[in-house]
Amino acid sequence: MNGDLQRALGVNLRRIRTEQGMSQEAFADTVGVHRTYMGGLERGERNVTLKAVERIAEIVGRDPLDLLRPS
Amino acid sequence: MNGDLQRALGVNLRRIRTEQGMSQEAFADTVGVHRTYMGGLERGERNVTLKAVERIAEIVGRDPLDLLRPS
């Protein structure tokens, strides 16, 4: 369904962040985005590009496809 | 690597199109994009958004994640 990929990305990013015990702000700094943007990403509200997914995946050390998979 | 997802998308779209014996122009019409844009998609040159991937996947009747997987 439309929006499923970005929602899966958000759920996965939030899980990775909380597993690492990081605040949203610290995680945003790590990924190199603003805290409010990271909030939107975690809520699945951001229709990001494929290259943005790859960049985030590289930073958090995951496979890009895993970040897009429903968990 | 950066660009892997969009390259996989292009390879998969080209395979789906040729399996259906469609020209690039007819396929572009089906997906609702211009022929030159479809050419860029198939060459893996388009850094599309997640929602664009979902829209294309729905039109060609595939799972969005399958379109992003290297074949």
Side-chain angles (χ1 to χ4, degrees), chain B residues 22-42:
Chain B
M22 292 178 87
S23 69
Q24 212 171 68
E25 189 153 10
F27 194 56
D29 282 348
T30 301
V31 176
V33 299
H34 192 270
R35 177 182 49 79
T36 56
Y37 185 83
M38 180 52 72
L41 272 178
E42 288 194 359

Side-chain angles (χ1 to χ4, degrees), chain A residues 31-51:
Chain A
V31 176
V33 299
H34 192 268
R35 176 181 51 79
T36 57
Y37 185 83
M38 179 53 70
L41 272 178
E42 287 194 0
R43 287 191 301 276
E45 295 168 1
R46 297 286 176 173
N47 181 25
V48 298
T49 66
L50 295 179
K51 281 192 174 170

Side-chain angles (χ1 to χ4, degrees), chain A residues 1-6 9 46-55 64-65 68-70, chain B residues 1-6 9 46-55 64-65 68-70:
Chain A
M1 205 183 77
N2 216 251
D4 280 355
L5 291 178
Q6 67 195 59
L9 175 65
R46 297 286 176 173
N47 181 25
V48 298
T49 66
L50 295 179
K51 281 192 174 170
V53 173
E54 290 175 325
R55 195 177 63 80
L65 285 174
L68 298 176
R69 225 182 295 275
Chain B
M1 205 182 80
N2 216 250
D4 279 355
L5 291 177
Q6 69 195 59
L9 175 65
R46 296 286 176 174
N47 181 26
V48 298
T49 65
L50 295 180
K51 281 192 174 170
V53 173
E54 290 174 327
R55 194 176 66 78
L65 285 174
L68 299 176
R69 225 183 296 275

